[in-house]
């Protein structure tokens, strides 16, 4: 009887391991996020060539992580931030948790939360904490490249920066995820 069940069990194990979709998938993510602010020097009389909106910062992010099932994604990320009005450069490193609110195999609406450390390449300000919260949409594509559009609120706590040490911004992110 053992001779019958052992090969049957091995065959069943091999069949199910190759026949089912994998529940845990590794991925790579890249995002570019420009931040636009209202120009405080703008006047209705456009004599001085000032525009109503101005580019205030750019963020670039790279991340690697795992997708657990259809809903939860966890990744480790690093990036580069440049804030134009303050001439501040920062390198945030953080962990991101993403939850898909609605998904149908190829596309999804999601909510994300990130928390980590912000490193400063210059000594003008000290290192600080980094947080972000956002919502986004992962578009449908027929390949392993998944385009992403997201709106994100960023908060950086920097000791010695202005009065309260907080630098906040809202950005529109455009990127992709690769399985």
């Amino acid at each position: 009887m053992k001779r019958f069940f052992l090969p049957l069990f091995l065959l069943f194990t091999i069949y199910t391991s190759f026949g089912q979709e994998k529940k845990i998938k590794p991925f790579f993510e890249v995002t570019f996020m420009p931040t636009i602010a209202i120009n405080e020097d703008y006047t209705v009389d456009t004599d001085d060539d000032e525009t109503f909106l101005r580019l205030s910062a750019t963020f670039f992010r790279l991340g690697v992580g795992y997708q657990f099932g259809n809903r939860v994604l966890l990744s480790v990320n690093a990036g580069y931030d440049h804030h134009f009005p303050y001439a501040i450069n920062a390198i945030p490193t953080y962990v991101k948790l993403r939850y898909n609110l609605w998904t149908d195999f190829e596309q999804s609406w999601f909510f994300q939360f990130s928390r980590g450390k912000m490193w400063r390449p210059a000594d003008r300000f000290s290192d600080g904490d980094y947080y972000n919260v956002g919502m986004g949409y992962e578009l449908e594509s027929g390949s392993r490249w998944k385009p992403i559009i997201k709106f994100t609120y960023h908060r950086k706590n920097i000791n010695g920066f202005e009065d309260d040490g907080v630098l906040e911004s809202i950005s529109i992110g455009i990127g992709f995820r690769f399985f």
Side-chain angles (χ1 to χ4, degrees):
M1 199 63 151
K2 281 186 178 179
R3 290 183 184 171
F4 176 74
F5 283 115
L6 184 61
L8 186 63
F9 177 73
L10 288 174
L11 184 63
F12 177 74
T13 304
I14 291 170
Y15 174 75
T16 57
S17 66
F18 288 108
Q20 294 180 354
E21 182 181 339
K22 301 218 182 286
K23 297 292 182 187
I24 299 176
K25 300 179 200 173
F27 66 88
F28 174 74
E29 186 175 3
V30 174
T31 309
F32 174 72
M33 295 178 274
T35 301
I36 298 172
I38 295 173
N39 188 352
E40 296 162 356
D41 299 328
Y42 177 77
T43 58
V44 178
D45 301 327
T46 56
D47 303 2
D48 52 5
D49 294 329
E50 292 284 336
T51 59
F52 179 65
L53 297 174
R54 63 177 170 79
L55 184 65
S56 66
T58 57
F59 307 144
F60 181 72
R61 302 283 189 264
L62 296 170
V64 292
Y66 286 96
Q67 178 173 345
F68 302 97
N70 289 334
R71 298 274 183 198
V72 178
L73 290 83
L74 187 64
S75 64
V76 176
N77 298 272
Y80 174 77
D81 298 356
H82 179 74
H83 294 270
F84 296 108
Y86 308 107
I88 293 178
N89 297 316
I91 301 170
T93 55
Y94 57 94
V95 174
K96 177 170 66 175
L97 175 65
R98 178 176 140 181
Y99 182 76
N100 291 335
L101 300 169
W102 174 83
T103 183
D104 72 346
F105 301 111
E106 291 290 323
Q107 58 190 353
S108 61
W109 288 94
F110 61 86
F111 175 79
Q112 68 182 23
F113 173 76
S114 303
R115 182 182 169 113
K117 181 81 172 155
M118 189 186 65
W119 310 94
R120 300 271 309 119
D123 293 333
R124 195 168 66 164
F125 299 110
S126 65
D127 296 341
D129 296 322
Y130 177 77
Y131 310 92
N132 87 34
V133 173
M135 289 194 73
Y137 179 66
E138 187 172 81
L139 286 84
E140 181 176 355
S141 76
S143 69
R144 295 171 53 176
W145 297 86
K146 305 287 183 183
I148 297 172
I149 298 172
K150 59 185 168 181
F151 297 94
T152 310
Y153 166 76
H154 305 269
R155 181 182 178 114
K156 299 173 178 95
N157 293 335
I158 306 170
N159 291 331
F161 177 72
E162 292 191 350
D163 294 332
D164 57 357
V166 175
L167 182 57
E168 298 173 323
S169 56
I170 296 175
S171 65
I172 299 171
I174 301 168
F176 67 88
R177 197 162 58 104
F178 177 73
F179 284 98

